[in-house]
Amino acid sequence: GEYSRFRSDTLTEGSRAVLYPQVAFKRGTPGWFFAARAGVHLRRYDLDQSVGDDGSPSLAVPITSVDAGLVFERDWSLFGTTFTHTLEPRAYYVYIPYREQNSLPAFDSAIDDYNFGQLFTENRYLGNDRIGDANQLTIGVTSRLLQPGTGAERLRVALAQRFYFEDQRVTLNEVPRSASSSDILLAVEGRISDAWTIAGLVQQNLDSGQYERFNVAARYTPSPGRALFASYRYTRQLVNPTGEGSEIQQIDLAAQWPVNAQWTLLGRYNYSIVDRKVLEAVAGVEYNGDCWTLRAVLHRLATTVDQTNTSFFIQLELNGLARVGTSPLDLLRRGVPGYVSANDPSLRQRDRSGDPLPESVWKNDPASFLKAAGEASTKSLKNELVRAAVVEAKAGLGRVVLIG
């Protein structure tokens, strides 16, 4: 459940209580799954300005859904490697009867983005002020290539489309849909090597033959702390929460690259081809001083058509103790895919010259042990060898060899 109070200088004010009790039935094995769910979405408003003659409207919307899928697997040899190839069909049915809601306020609701996650979701709206009527079936299929031994996913291809059995009646700043099917979605994502990752998405309207959306991206990460990213995004008509549509064509570039052991350069450049303007730009440096790290980042963001906000972040981090200044870490993680801070433990190269020899060396191979001891170039390594030999002698496992 949820209770919320909304205040506004220009819009309707009031409170809203939401309760969504559900029952579910689930069964499955590694080769199939089945899930049925039923619930009632209950909500009640207490408005400062009444809607019609009722200042406290309430609504109950029943929701039912059935989700089922299969998983087929086979071994498939490709480029000399035997992968596990899967084929995973899925069907998702939702029924929500019509309930009049257009007269109710929309405090925090908006139209959800059309994507794979939304295709397999009950409600087409975000928030709790609109529950869309639905009598629809989504059909999708996913195919994956899995790395032998580890099970790591090397390639994923997904295809999905939704079919409608009734016209849309509940709306939110939009034209009611009357088509019998949705646009088709095709997504491809793969790790073609240890360093290269690619991704693409196509949304096509089969009735008009137009591409509604086309996205492509690539990332190069040869090692932690080194990342290059580039993407192109096209949307024929992006509808905002107010119902207005606009074309989107954007280029997005980002990078993190160390120039030496201490200095790392950071940057992002997001440009709108349609508007001919920079939407967001980031430029920064990180200095790793072993026990401390300094970050300085300049951020420029277009907040409206005519306004731009510029911010400067500077932060001193005492590793493991404290951070002083305004943190740019959230900005860098969002803007630079694959970003790793300069003081991350995964980037440190440990000096192992003073490490003790593995137990198998001085226990099972005395000759190698004596040779390593004689060639030890550091006092700390000699001390480790002496301690290892003493422990072995105390345990009755061998002889003590004194090393000068």
Side-chain angles (χ1 to χ4, degrees):
E2 174 188 287
Y3 177 82
S4 304
R5 174 70 183 176
F6 300 92
R7 297 183 181 276
S8 174
D9 295 333
T10 57
L11 303 176
T12 302
E13 294 184 333
S15 59
R16 184 190 66 202
V18 177
L19 188 65
Y20 187 19
Q22 304 175 68
V23 294
F25 173 82
K26 297 181 180 181
R27 288 291 185 273
T29 69
W32 62 272
F33 69 90
F34 177 87
R37 188 185 305 271
V40 181
H41 189 277
L42 307 168
R43 67 182 186 270
R44 180 182 176 86
Y45 296 90
D46 186 8
L47 305 177
D48 296 345
Q49 299 88 21
S50 62
V51 177
D53 297 330
D54 189 0
S56 301
S58 60
L59 195 67
V61 183
I63 301 174
T64 56
S65 65
V66 177
D67 191 7
L70 300 171
V71 179
F72 300 98
E73 292 185 357
R74 66 166 181 167
D75 291 335
W76 187 24
S77 295
L78 187 66
F79 304 118
T81 302
T82 301
F83 293 93
T84 298
H85 178 217
T86 73
L87 185 66
E88 306 167 35
R90 181 181 180 185
Y92 183 70
Y93 175 77
V94 179
Y95 178 73
I96 304 175
Y98 169 74
R99 296 291 186 270
E100 201 286 322
Q101 303 166 63
N102 294 339
S103 61
L104 298 176
F107 289 125
D108 60 358
S109 289
I111 302 172
D112 197 2
D113 182 39
Y114 183 73
N115 52 48
F116 278 95
Q118 200 279 325
L119 281 173
F120 295 93
T121 303
E122 296 171 340
N123 191 18
R124 61 178 175 268
Y125 300 110
L126 301 171
N128 288 301
D129 293 310
R130 292 292 185 274
I131 302 297
D133 54 313
N135 184 8
Q136 61 197 31
L137 175 66
T138 299
I139 300 294
V141 61
T142 301
S143 182
R144 298 184 295 159
L145 283 182
L146 306 180
Q147 187 76 26
T150 64
E153 186 176 283
R154 304 294 293 194
L155 179 67
R156 173 195 290 259
V157 180
L159 184 71
Q161 187 176 20
R162 178 182 286 165
F163 300 91
Y164 304 102
F165 305 116
E166 295 179 2
D167 291 341
Q168 176 184 348
R169 300 176 66 184
V170 177
T171 60
L172 181 62
N173 301 319
E174 61 186 310
V175 177
R177 170 198 43 78
S178 58
S180 61
S181 62
S182 70
D183 297 340
I184 192 168
L185 278 182
L186 171 64
V188 178
E189 183 176 1
R191 192 174 185 90
I192 58 179
S193 71
D194 291 338
W196 283 98
T197 301
I198 59 171
L201 174 69
V202 174
Q203 176 184 338
Q204 186 177 31
N205 187 321
L206 297 181
D207 294 331
S208 64
Q210 290 182 314
Y211 287 103
E212 298 293 332
R213 189 187 315 181
F214 176 77
N215 299 341
V216 61
R219 189 174 78 183
Y220 175 65
T221 312
S223 61
R226 289 178 168 85
L228 301 176
F229 173 82
S231 72
Y232 171 77
R233 177 188 177 197
Y234 167 77
T235 302
R236 190 181 69 84
Q237 189 174 37
L238 179 67
V239 180
N240 61 26
T242 63
E244 299 177 351
S246 60
E247 182 183 2
I248 301 293
Q249 287 193 64
Q250 296 178 6
I251 295 174
D252 202 350
L253 306 174
Q256 175 188 13
W257 205 264
V259 294
N260 55 38
Q262 287 77 37
W263 290 97
T264 299
L265 300 181
L266 304 158
R268 185 195 179 192
Y269 182 77
N270 185 201
Y271 180 79
S272 172
I273 300 175
V274 175
D275 300 324
R276 296 183 179 180
K277 63 181 296 185
V278 177
L279 301 178
E280 186 175 15
V282 176
V285 295
E286 278 188 310
Y287 181 83
N288 183 8
D290 291 334
C291 61
W292 59 275
T293 303
L294 180 67
R295 302 181 182 93
V297 177
L298 181 66
H299 180 218
R300 183 178 175 88
L301 177 66
T303 54
T304 64
V305 176
D306 301 320
Q307 294 183 344
T308 301
N309 182 49
T310 302
S311 306
F312 182 71
F313 302 82
I314 186 166
Q315 183 187 53
L316 174 64
E317 179 175 354
L318 305 178
N319 297 344
L321 294 177
R323 293 172 180 169
V324 180
T326 306
S327 175
L329 292 175
D330 290 340
L331 170 66
L332 294 174
R333 294 188 184 106
R334 175 182 62 82
V336 183
Y339 166 75
V340 178
S341 61
N343 61 340
D344 190 279
S346 64
L347 303 182
R348 299 177 184 174
Q349 295 184 353
R350 179 181 169 189
D351 181 9
R352 298 187 176 272
S353 61
D355 284 5
L357 292 174
E359 179 182 1
S360 59
V361 174
W362 48 263
K363 181 177 179 180
N364 301 324
D365 191 354
S368 297
F369 171 74
L370 292 173
K371 181 179 179 182
E375 295 176 353
S377 59
T378 65
K379 183 178 179 181
S380 60
L381 179 55
K382 289 185 178 183
N383 291 338
E384 290 290 348
L385 292 170
V386 170
R387 283 194 293 270
V390 171
V391 171
E392 184 178 348
K394 288 183 177 179
L397 299 176
R399 299 177 298 168
V400 176
V401 181
L402 296 179
I403 304 172

